[in-house]
Every structure is written in C-alpha cells, then in structure tokens.
Amino acid sequence: MELLTNIAWVGDAETGHLRLLDQTVLPTKEKYLDCKTVQQVWDAIKRLVVRGAPAIGIAAAYGMVVGAQEPPAGSPLAAMAAEDRFQKSADYLATSRPTAVNLFWAIDRMRSLSDHLPAALLAEAQRIHEEDKQMCVAIGSHALEYFKQTVPAFTNDSISPAGVLTHCNAGALATGGIGTATAPMYTAQQQQIPLRIFADETRPLLQGSRLTAFELDAAGLDVTLICDDMAAHVMQQNKIDLIIVGADRIAANGDAANKIGTYNLAVLANYHKIPFFVAAPSSTFDLAIPDGSHIPIEERAASEITKGFGNQTAPDDIKTYSPAFDVTPHELITALITERGVITPPNTQTVATHLA
Ligand code: MRU
C-alpha cells in the first residue's frame, strides 16, 4: 500500500524546511507546499493544508525547528535572542487552531527540551513523527482484535463483509502513519478481512469525500461515499455493523471532540444499537479538563458554508454559524481505542487507569 507523504522534512536542521502535501486541493491535484518560515507553517495549519489532530501536532513540531533557524540578515527577527525567537514562534504556532490538543501537546514537548538548537529540535520532531506512525499501527491491531471479539460481523463465521462507517478523515493523511479510525481498516486489509466501508462526505470541507474516500480507494479498500444526511438511512438498512471515528481532543471523562457531525452519528448509533468507537493516540487526551464542555470549539469562516470551493450556494450576506467540531458525550461511546488498548466503558475512572 503506497500512501502519499503528507509531512516531510527536507534538508538539514539548520537550513532545511517542512514540506506538506496540500490537502486543500486533493483529490484532483497532488501539490506540495514548502514552508520555510513559521508564518507559512501557521498559515498551512490554519488553511487545512495539513489537518487532522496528530498531523497538526507533527507539523507544528517541525515548524518549531524552522522557528529556531538563523533568520535572514536584516529581518526584524535577526535582532532577537535565539531563545526569544524560539518561544515566540511556539506561542504563535499555538494560535493556529484551537481544538486539536495534539498541537499544544507537540509544542509543549518541543519546549520541554533542554536544547532549543535546530539539530536537537529536528531530532525530537522526527521522534514525534515516528512515534505517531507506531501508535497508528498499535491502534489498528488493538481495534481489530477488539472488533473480532465483540462485533458479530467480524467473527470468523460471518459470511458477508462487515459494514463500517467513518466520518471526516482520521486516516493516513491526518497522521504520521495509517491513521487512527482507518488503522483497523488497513490492518483488516493486511489480514485479508473484507470490509465494506462507508465514508461520510463531511460538510462543509468534504474531508470524507476528498480525503477518506480518496485514500481508502487508492489503497484498494472497498469504500462507498455517502452524503452526511444519508447516514441514518444507511444504518436503518442494516448496512453498518460499527462506526469508528477519530478525535481532536478527549477530556478526562472520555467525552470526545471530533469533526462536526460526529455527535449526530453517535446519537444515531445509540438508537440503532450500533457500536460507536473513537480511535486516538494518547496525545489526543487532555486530562486537564474534566469533561467535553471545556473543549474549545473552532468556528470557521462563513464562506466555507456559503461559497465552498468557490461555488456560491447561499444568499449573499446570509447569517451563518460554523462550528468545526462537536463533542460526543462518553456515554455514547462504546470504547475509546488508543495505542495502549481499549477503554470500555469510557469514564473518568477507566480513562485515568488506562493512561496512568
Ligand atoms: O478540521 P480537520 O480536518 O482538521 O478535522 C479533522 C478531524 O476531525 C479528524 O477526525 C481528527 O482530527 C482525527 S485525525 C486522526
């Protein structure tokens, strides 16, 4: 399975740069963006050139290497002390997007190094990147094993492929590896377990159709695209055996923020008695907040609803409200799946024990 390289460091620590696959133009164009300044990294995160909680954290870590490099002579940054420049770039990158806690986790981890010179920072960013790749693999195997034990459609004697629904893109494009929600799908493929995957389109920015359908199809998985408002109907038709999504931030009690529309699916899953799973690495947990009501929810520009991809679909000056994430209460989550295993049922106690 060949995955596109979504995040790469090019060159050495002192003069190299971050190269990002531009996810805003997928699936029709494969274009790469070279980020040579902290401003460019910030802008790439803000505009969703790179997106998905783990990928945002990895990109920010590399962005901090850029921020520690010697600035061009004559630039206003050249007058600053190296440590001040490093801290300023960290503060700035932390303002790019508010919801995915992996961003702040990665920035804190880079800050906590004793050496803030580019070489040490690059080594740490590469460790974060590699660890994320390993975490995806572990999530995939824990999830698949759990499904085999608990979801009838995954048992050996099941005759038809299990139906799996996912939302947004918690795939390879959103991480340093094989994704979080998609990890058990790729792992099932390796084990020759057939799945029938349904990908929600995911309004308004269509990460489900542009990214998830694209990457799963390219990898040879059986994926069917549906519009968000078809999910209930598809569940009613018994086509879905489980739902699995990623997360941008999980509170201490297991409440999970993910792309807007995830909560809808959890409510529908509850009604239809379909297990609902959230897959995320431990870097997505925020134990500093007791529950999901404390998760900052990003609001995006009105134009993403009214003129998506440059095509006007709403009256001029219509009022809009565009939260990019919602919070699924832990009571609606069958299990949280991390690189360490399975948390079920998710609650303050089980989350604390799992992450201890
Ligand atoms: O706005 P996005 O595209 O960054 O939103 C991404 C999601 O909601 C993903 O599901 C989440 O970050 C998990 S990524 C493994």
Side-chain angles (χ1 to χ4, degrees), residues 51-54 97 168-170 174-175 180 207 246-248 258-259 325:
R51 32 65 52 207
R97 292 189 75 190
C168 193
N169 175 263
T175 65
T180 56
Q207 290 93 329
D248 283 77
N258 191 49
K259 178 54 55 189
F325 299 93

Side-chain angles (χ1 to χ4, degrees), residues 15-157:
T15 59
H17 62 269
L18 173 63
R19 177 166 291 163
L20 296 171
L21 172 66
D22 185 348
Q23 299 192 29
T24 66
V25 295
L26 285 174
T28 52
K29 292 191 190 107
E30 184 182 333
K31 193 177 126 198
Y32 293 86
L33 185 74
D34 286 339
C35 301
K36 299 183 176 174
T37 65
V38 173
Q39 172 68 54
Q40 286 168 337
V41 178
W42 185 95
D43 185 63
I45 297 173
K46 184 79 185 167
R47 289 194 303 111
L48 276 54
V49 168
V50 59
R51 32 65 52 207
I56 291 172
I58 297 164
Y62 285 121
M64 288 175 69
V65 184
V66 174
Q69 291 173 339
E70 200 62 46
S75 107
L77 291 173
M80 285 173 80
E83 180 60 18
D84 292 348
R85 233 175 28 239
F86 169 78
Q87 295 295 347
K88 194 177 152 79
S89 59
D91 290 345
Y92 183 55
L93 287 167
T95 64
S96 54
R97 292 189 75 190
T99 305
V101 77
N102 306 60
L103 172 69
F104 311 100
W105 171 87
I107 290 172
D108 287 349
R109 185 161 150 178
M110 298 293 282
R111 268 188 160 131
S112 71
L113 294 179
S114 52
D115 179 350
H116 292 167
L117 291 174
L121 293 167
L122 179 59
E124 187 69 358
Q126 286 169 332
R127 264 191 297 274
I128 290 174
H129 198 165
E130 180 58 29
E131 283 170 22
D132 190 70
K133 186 174 175 184
Q134 302 304 331
M135 287 197 277
C136 292
V137 172
I139 288 171
S141 56
H142 288 305
L144 189 59
E145 282 316 304
Y146 190 71
F147 299 162
K148 285 181 190 170
Q149 286 162 26
T150 63
V151 181
F154 277 81
T155 56
N156 284 338
D157 49 356

